[in-house]
Amino acid sequence: MRFTVATRIALLCGTGLCAAPIFAQTTTTTEAGQAQQADAATDTDETYTENQIIVTGTQIQGAQINDVLPVTVLDEQAIENTGAASGDELFRSIPQTGTVAFNEQNADSVNSARGDVASVNLRDLGTGNTLLLINGRRMTLHPGFQTELLVPVVSSDANEIAPGSVRRVEVLRDGASAIYGADAVAGVINTVLRGNRRGGFIEGDYRLYDGTSMYSAQISGGYGLDFGGGRGNLTVYGGYFHENGMSNAERDYAADDNRLPLVVGTDFEGDSSFNNRNTFGPFGQFDIQAPSNRTPIGDDDFYLQPSSFPGCRLTFGPGLCARNGTTPTSDVRYNTIFGNSLFSTKNRYNATALLSYELSNAVEAYFEGSYYRSESERTIDASAILSAVPVGISRNAYWNPFGPVGSPNRLPDTTIANGGADVIMERYRFVDAGNRVVSVDKDTYRFVTGLRGNFGAWDFDTGFVYSEAEALDVANNRVSLTLMQKQINLTTPDAYNPFNGGCVNSDPGNGDCTPNPASSIDPFRIDVYRRGGTSLALADFKISRDDLFTLPGGNRGVAAGVEWRRETFFDDRDPRLDGTITFTDSVTGEFNGSDVAGTSPSPDTDGRRNVYSGFAELFVPVVSPDMDIPLVEEFNVQLAGRLEHFDDINETAAVPRVAASWTTFPGVTLRGAWSRGFRAPNLVQVNDGGTTRSNTRDDFVICQAQVLKDVIEDLGSCAGAGVISFRAGTENLVPEDSTSVNLGIVLEPDFIPGLTLTADFWRVKQTGLVGTFGDDNAIALDLLRRLNGSTNPNVVRLAPTAEEIALFAGTGLAPAGRIDFVIDDYLNLDRRVSKGLDFGLYYRVPDFGAGRFTLRANAARLLGFEQSAGADGQEIVDAVADGTLPLDVTVGGLGELLEIEGRPKWRANGSINWEKGPVEVGVYGQYVGMVYDTSVVRDVLIDSDDPNANYFPVDESFTMNLSISYTIENDTALDGTRLRFAINNLFDEDPPLADENYGFFSELHSARGRVFHIELRKKF
C-alpha cells in the first residue's frame, strides 16, 4: 500500500502529535488519511488549497520530505488538550522544551525580563538558541533581557502567541541553522495561523483557580470572507484576556522564605538552607565608627532585635535592643516575599489581519499585520541597600543613638566619646516604604507583505517583514540613596529613623510594626524605569522546484534563496541607574554609580546589526518502490547549506546539513541527519559597554589566611562580603559552533492501520559558548595562583592595610588587600555535549461504531548534559582534585548536569480523545521527572555512587486535564455553538518543593493548581 503525503505529515512527523488538516498529493490514501480529508472538508469556515504542504524544516515547496524530518506537530485538538491560556503554557507542554528562564516568578530584579513574558528553550541548550517563526518567518525579540549563567540572553516572547488563533504548531527538533539561519541551533518552532477563513466565530473562556481568589476571562473572535470573485480572502482575529492575579500568601509553599516547616519528616528536616529569610530587614545592622572598646556593646558591629531575644547588649527602646555581631540570627531575619504577588494582574490584547489576493493565475499577493499589547502589575519585596554599598549616618543625625552629648536621641549610659560617632548602615530594608509595585507595558507590531506563486515550473516567495516591540518597566516605591541619606542625616524630628526596628511583639520577619511617618519617607521614595525596544526588518527571496528533473527514485527538488535582515535593540535605564545621577556617600566619601538602593549601576546600551545570508537546498529521492530493490523500499536525501555574514562582528559562518530516510520495507523507515550550526553572540553581549554587579562572594584569599591563623575553622566558614563585578561585551566574540546528529525510526505496521510509532536519538555538541568565568571562580583562581606565587590579574585588590599585613604574616601568602572589583568580561569559553531520546505514538483508532478514538503520546528522555570547563576552570577543578585547593572551593555548572536544577531525565505527555456525534471527551496527562536542587546540601553527607545524592531531590510531577464538549448541530440560530467544560490539573497537584523563589522551580513547574474553565464558542 502506498502512503500519501497527508498521511506522512500526520503520522511520520517526529512524535506523531499530528492531526493537521493537510491534503494529499496522490489519490490512494490510508483510512487515517481519508478521515483527515473528511475532517478538513467539513470545516467550512476555512479554505484549504489542494496539494498544500507546509512543513517546517524545508524550503522546497511540495517536496515529499516529511519522513526525513523529526517534526512534532500540534493541531487544534492537541492544543486544546493542553488547556493552555497563553503561549507560555502551550510551549511548556512540549516535552522537548527545556526550562523557561523568562517568567514572572523568576523576575524580581530590574535586571530581569519582567512582566507578562515567557521564553523558549528547546533541548535546554540555552535561551536564545531556539528560533520562533510565525507562518514561516521569524519573530522579533522581546525588548528585555536578563542573565543566564551570568550572561545576558534574549528570546522571543512566547506569550505573543494566542492559542485561539493558531491552526497548528510545528516543532523541528533538530539543528536548522542551514535552513533558517542563526538562533536555530536547538530547533525551530513555527506557529501557523488560521487564515483563509470563510465565516466567523466568537468565543468566551472563563477560568477559576481552585482554592484562590484568582480568575481569568478571555473573549476572542474572528471573521473571514472571500472577495474579488474568490480571488482574495481577508481574515481578521482579535482577543482580550484578563487575569486578576494572586498573592503569594494563597499558596503555602510560596508564602514564606522560611520553608523549614515544609521539610519536617524528610531527610532535610532542620536544614538551614530552607530558611531563606534575609539578613536585610527593618532590624538593621550597623557599624559604629569608634574603637570596639569604646562602644557600649563591646563591639563596633551590632544589629537590632526584639529585646525578648537572647544576646541583648544595649536597650534601644521599648521592646528593642542591640546585639553585637555582623550577621543577624535567623530569628530576626526578614521574609522578603511578605506581601508579594505570585501572579501578576495582567491584560493582553491582540489583533491580526491576514490578506491574500491572486493577482493572476500564477502570482498571489499576501499581507499579515498584527498588534499585541500586554499590561502587568505585581508587588515584589521592599527595597534594601546592597552589602557593597553601605550608607553613612552622620553623628549629628537626629536619630543617631551615638550622637554628641546633648543630642536628642543619644542613648543613656553610652560610652561613646562626647563628640559622638558616625554610624555605617550595612544592612537595612525599607519595609515601611512599602513593597515595590512593578508595572510593565509592552507593545509589539508586526507586518509582513510579499508575493508568492510560480513562473513556469518554479515556485517563488519573496517578502518583507517589519516588526518592533517596546516595553516600559516602572517600579514604584524605590529608594534614592542620595535623598535617603539626606533624609536620615537631617537634624530635625522629620528625619528618617532606621533605628526603630520592626515588629517586636509578633513575627519580626513579616512587615514593620514601627514604621516611620510617610512625611519622612516620601522625600526619598522614587519611581525607577527601564525602557527597552527591539526591531526586525527582513527581506527575502526564495525559489524552489520539487521536480527539477526526474531520477529513477523520483523527482529531484531544489531550493535557493537570499535574505537580508536588520536587527536593533536599545535598553534605556533610569538616570539614577545609568550613571547620570550617582551616589557619593556624604559621610564616607564612597562613590557608587547607581543612586537606587539595592540595584547595581547599568549603562544605557544599544546595538544593531545587518545580516546577509544565502542558502541552497536539494532533495534527492534516490530509490522509490517502483525500482523493486530488496530492503530498500525508499531512500531519500536532503542536502542543504547556508552562508551568513554578521557585519557588527565581521564574521561569516558556513553551515551544512545532510539528512536521509530509508524505508527498508513498507511500514519501517529509518532516518538520520547531521548538521553544523552556529549562533552569533546576541546584540547585548556584543554591545554591553560595561555592567557593574554587586554579589556576595567569599574572598578565599583573605579567608585562607584566616584558616592558617586559626581565625576560622575552614573555608566553609568564610564570611561573604559584597564584591563588585565588571562585565563588558566585545566585538571580538565569535559565533558559537554546534554539531547536531539525529537518528530515528518510524514504524507504521500494516496490521494496525492508523498507528505510528517513532523513536529518535539526538546529540548536540556546542563549542565556544559565550559566557563569563564568574567572579567567584576568579577569586578561587586568585587563591590558587597566590599559593603558587602569582596572582589572577582579573581580581583587582586595594593595597593591604596594616591589619591585613599582620594577618598574612607567617602564612606563606603575600599580603593581599580587600577586593576592589573583579573583571568578568564575556568570552567564548566552554564546551557542552547534550544527548537524548524522543519517543512518539499516534493512533487514530478505526471507527467500529463506538465513536472515534485518537491516542497521542510524546516523551523526551535526556541521556546526558555535560558542560566542560575552559582552561582556567579546569585549573581550579584539577587543584581541588589533587588537594591543592580544599573541597570548599567549587566550580559550579560543570560536569554532568543531568537532573541538575531544571533538567529532568524524563518529560512526557499523552492524550486520549473520543468523538461521537456532537460530543467530544479529552483526557490529557503531563509528566515531568525529578531533578536535584543543588542549593541544598545534606547537613550530614552520605556516601553514594550517585554524585547528586547529597542534594535535595525535587519530586517528579504528574498532572491531568479532563474536558468534555458538546456542539449543537441543527438548523436553528444555535447551529455551530459549542459548549466546553474542562479541568486543568484535575487532582490539584502542587508543584514539587524546591529551595527557589516562591518554593518551586518556576522555570519547570506551574503554581496555578487546579483550574476550572468553561468555554462557549459560536460559529457563523
Side-chain angles (χ1 to χ4, degrees), residues 12 30 69 102 412 513 747:
L12 292 183
T30 65
L69 306 172
F102 292 16
C513 301
L747 302 178

Side-chain angles (χ1 to χ4, degrees), residues 2 8 64 67-68 550-556 619-637 660-665 669:
R2 294 187 60 191
R8 289 191 181 278
Q64 300 182 32
D67 54 347
V68 179
T550 300
L551 297 172
N555 293 331
R556 171 177 163 178
F619 176 65
V620 181
V622 179
V623 177
S624 71
D626 297 336
M627 298 172 69
D628 293 327
I629 297 178
L631 296 179
V632 187
E633 179 78 4
E634 290 186 60
F635 188 77
N636 300 313
V637 176
S661 68
W662 169 26
T663 302
T664 57
F665 49 85
T669 299

Side-chain angles (χ1 to χ4, degrees), residues 136-465:
R137 287 189 169 92
R138 65 175 56 216
M139 298 171 60
T140 192
L141 297 172
H142 176 69
F145 60 87
Q146 66 185 39
T147 58
E148 185 175 295
L149 298 177
L150 305 179
V151 180
V153 294
V154 295
S155 173
S156 298
D157 181 6
N159 280 339
E160 291 182 19
I161 306 296
S165 64
V166 176
R167 176 182 292 171
R168 67 181 179 275
V169 175
E170 304 167 344
V171 184
L172 175 61
R173 300 171 283 107
D174 190 13
S177 291
I179 305 295
Y180 295 103
D183 310 327
V185 172
V188 176
I189 298 179
N190 182 31
T191 300
V192 181
L193 301 179
R194 289 157 52 180
N196 291 325
R197 181 177 281 278
R198 275 185 256 164
F201 78 95
I202 187 168
E203 180 176 81
D205 178 276
Y206 186 77
R207 301 185 180 213
L208 290 172
Y209 296 81
D210 194 20
T212 76
S213 60
M214 189 163 79
Y215 70 87
S216 66
Q218 177 174 302
I219 185 168
S220 60
Y223 186 75
L225 57 88
D226 289 341
F227 62 91
R231 300 179 70 89
N233 180 269
L234 173 65
T235 299
V236 294
Y237 292 99
Y240 168 72
F241 173 87
H242 171 75
E243 189 171 83
N244 70 325
M246 182 194 300
S247 164
N248 67 304
E250 298 193 63
R251 297 297 191 201
D252 291 342
Y253 50 83
D256 199 318
D257 282 327
N258 181 10
R259 300 187 179 90
L260 283 172
L262 303 179
V263 292
V264 172
T266 73
D267 291 346
F268 290 82
E269 180 174 347
D271 192 303
S272 59
S273 297
F274 279 98
N275 186 354
N276 294 302
R277 288 198 172 192
N278 199 269
T279 56
F280 290 75
F283 294 90
Q285 184 260 313
F286 306 88
D287 185 340
I288 307 171
Q289 299 300 285
S292 298
N293 60 359
R294 295 295 303 275
T295 69
I297 303 171
D299 193 344
D300 58 335
D301 294 299
F302 73 94
Y303 60 88
L304 299 175
Q305 66 176 25
S307 56
S308 58
F309 287 19
C312 288
R313 292 290 186 93
L314 182 65
T315 299
F316 263 62
L320 185 66
C321 75
R323 180 174 176 172
N324 65 308
T326 59
T327 306
T329 61
S330 59
D331 289 339
V332 79
R333 295 179 186 178
Y334 193 68
N335 175 24
T336 64
I337 58 178
F338 178 75
N340 283 10
S341 300
L342 186 59
F343 290 99
S344 63
T345 299
K346 58 178 69 74
N347 296 296
R348 299 183 188 126
Y349 310 83
N350 67 83
T352 302
L354 303 164
L355 175 67
S356 62
Y357 187 78
E358 293 180 3
L359 300 176
S360 68
N361 291 335
V363 179
E364 178 185 58
Y366 59 88
F367 171 81
E368 300 171 18
S370 64
Y371 169 71
Y372 171 81
R373 177 175 174 83
S374 66
E375 304 165 343
S376 70
E377 181 179 289
R378 67 187 294 246
T379 57
I380 61 174
D381 57 300
S383 292
I385 62 175
L386 290 172
S387 59
V389 191
V391 176
I393 301 174
S394 168
R395 67 191 64 198
N396 297 314
Y398 183 82
W399 295 107
N400 189 335
F402 307 110
V405 172
S407 60
N409 290 289
R410 180 180 171 104
L411 292 175
D413 303 323
T414 181
T415 57
I416 294 294
N418 291 344
D422 298 332
V423 176
I424 304 299
M425 182 168 66
E426 296 185 331
R427 301 176 195 261
Y428 190 77
R429 187 176 300 273
F430 299 89
V431 177
D432 51 5
N435 283 31
R436 291 173 286 172
V437 179
V438 177
S439 301
V440 183
D441 296 337
K442 173 187 170 184
D443 295 280
T444 303
Y445 305 85
R446 185 174 190 267
F447 302 98
V448 183
T449 185
L451 299 172
R452 60 188 167 218
N454 59 77
F455 41 88
W458 290 87
D459 296 315
F460 76 92
D461 188 347
T462 183
F464 177 76
V465 179

Side-chain angles (χ1 to χ4, degrees), residues 559-573:
V562 293
E563 178 184 283
W564 163 83
R565 70 176 184 272
R566 179 175 175 82
E567 302 168 339
T568 71
F569 95 100
F570 72 86
D571 185 40
D572 178 21
R573 302 295 181 115

